[in-house]
Amino acid sequence: MNVVFGANGRAGGETARALIERGAPVKVVVRRPEQGERWRAKGAHVAVADLYDTDQVARALQGATAAFLLSPPPLAGDPFSQATQLGEALAEAVGRAELARVVVQSSVGAQHDAGTGVIATLHTLEKALAGTAPAIAFLRCGYFVETWSEVAEAAISEGVLPSFLDVDQRIPMVSTMDIGVAAARLLTEEWQGERIVELSGPRDWSARDVATAFANVLGHPVEPVLIPPEQRHGILTDEGVAPEVASALLGMYDGLASGRVTREQGTANWRGSTPLQTAVKRIVAAVHAAA
């Protein structure tokens, strides 16, 4: 049995779908019972657990051979102290479950313990989980293409793509569709030891590349627009992001701009197959469907 946490999120959901498509037995772990109904309809088992609760996580992992673990997006409070708590809870639960394989969603840049903003929380998680299973892989993903869904409305209605990234800086990006495929592969193949796999799309992309993909999908020009650093914290907090979380998120963009958030030498580098325009087309379709 493969246990997938975060199934109602982007990467967790794609991992569960990829496992189901492979015909692998899947148990998804959700925070509330009603979130599991759509997964039951797909043939998955469902468990309910809070990732920060060791006992609940251990029960969800009972009888499993492999698990996909991740850190939920921070919503409030100090993301860095929360990462320490999460790492301790998950490490103990994995140890109790005696899993054969664990795949941990991480990020490009997680080799650093500072200077990367919120990504440093994944450094903490990697350190806590290292050695907790005979086979453990840290799947360090690039910037999610699907993150651009948060500004897709502006691209659709105004022809602009607001960006916290330098519009011409190419960075590792990846669609969550490719994350699901890679995670399912690691969960179901036989291997031993600790692995670091850095995952990005078919090539590195910039905000300008993303804007071009939106333009091609929408059939009208879309221009990338860099948001000045001094405006960013206010924009995030005005949208309801907690101040401490906003600072951690913006630290990630500072790390990307400085080049600190980059691949680590000597690790495995995998490339996904999903074209940028394919991922953007799905974003646009979702926005239209929700309208």
Side-chain angles (χ1 to χ4, degrees):
M1 178 69 69
N2 298 276
V3 177
V4 178
F5 286 81
N8 282 324
R10 290 168 175 160
E14 294 294 350
T15 299
R17 276 187 281 272
L19 286 166
I20 290 169
E21 288 174 3
R22 281 174 169 251
V26 179
K27 180 196 291 185
V28 300
V29 184
V30 293
R31 295 176 65 186
R32 299 187 302 276
E34 65 272 16
Q35 294 175 322
E37 293 307 315
R38 66 189 182 102
W39 291 107
R40 282 196 182 91
K42 297 177 184 292
H45 301 269
V46 177
V48 178
D50 179 342
L51 272 168
Y52 290 86
D53 188 307
T54 300
D55 291 336
Q56 290 182 15
V57 172
R59 283 196 294 271
L61 292 173
Q62 190 172 3
T65 56
F68 177 77
L69 304 176
L70 76 175
S71 175
L75 300 177
D78 178 5
F80 303 100
S81 64
Q82 291 169 12
T84 299
Q85 296 168 14
L86 178 64
E88 291 172 353
L90 292 182
E92 183 176 344
V94 169
R96 288 190 204 172
E98 298 182 345
L99 295 167
R101 283 183 301 283
V102 172
V103 177
V104 182
Q105 180 194 312
S106 188
S107 171
V108 169
Q111 67 269 29
H112 301 300
D113 63 359
T116 59
V118 72
I119 292 173
T121 64
L122 297 172
H123 176 88
T124 299
L125 189 62
E126 287 192 12
K127 293 300 182 185
L129 288 168
T132 56
I136 186 162
F138 298 105
L139 184 59
R140 292 183 181 170
C141 307
Y143 190 90
F144 289 7
V145 174
E146 285 74 11
T147 301
W148 295 99
S149 64
E150 295 164 11
V151 292
E153 287 277 9
I156 293 169
S157 61
E158 302 171 34
V160 297
L161 187 77
S163 175
F164 289 175
L165 298 167
D166 183 293
V167 298
D168 290 310
Q169 180 187 5
R170 285 195 166 94
I171 64 169
M173 292 190 200
V174 64
S175 169
T176 53
M177 290 182 277
D178 287 334
I179 295 173
V181 170
R185 172 182 166 186
L186 289 166
L187 288 166
T188 54
E189 289 183 351
E190 294 289 339
W191 50 277
Q192 293 289 311
E194 182 174 304
R195 302 172 69 175
I196 295 175
V197 177
E198 310 228 34
L199 178 67
S200 52
R203 65 183 182 87
D204 291 357
W205 293 308
S206 66
R208 190 175 301 280
D209 294 326
V210 177
T212 298
F214 269 101
N216 291 338
V217 170
L218 295 169
H220 64 68
V222 176
E223 185 68 21
V225 177
L226 179 66
I227 305 300
E230 62 272 15
Q231 297 179 14
R232 297 174 186 175
H233 197 274
I235 288 172
L236 291 179
T237 54
D238 286 348
E239 292 176 352
V241 180
E244 283 182 293
V245 175
S247 295
L249 291 172
L250 294 176
M252 174 186 71
Y253 288 98
D254 291 341
L256 284 162
S258 70
R260 188 164 176 79
V261 177
T262 190
R263 299 176 181 89
E264 182 178 13
Q265 291 186 353
T267 61
N269 284 289
W270 289 7
R271 292 270 183 187
S273 61
T274 302
L276 179 58
Q277 189 162 315
T278 298
V280 168
K281 185 176 181 179
R282 190 174 71 157
I283 291 171
V284 171
V287 172
H288 286 155

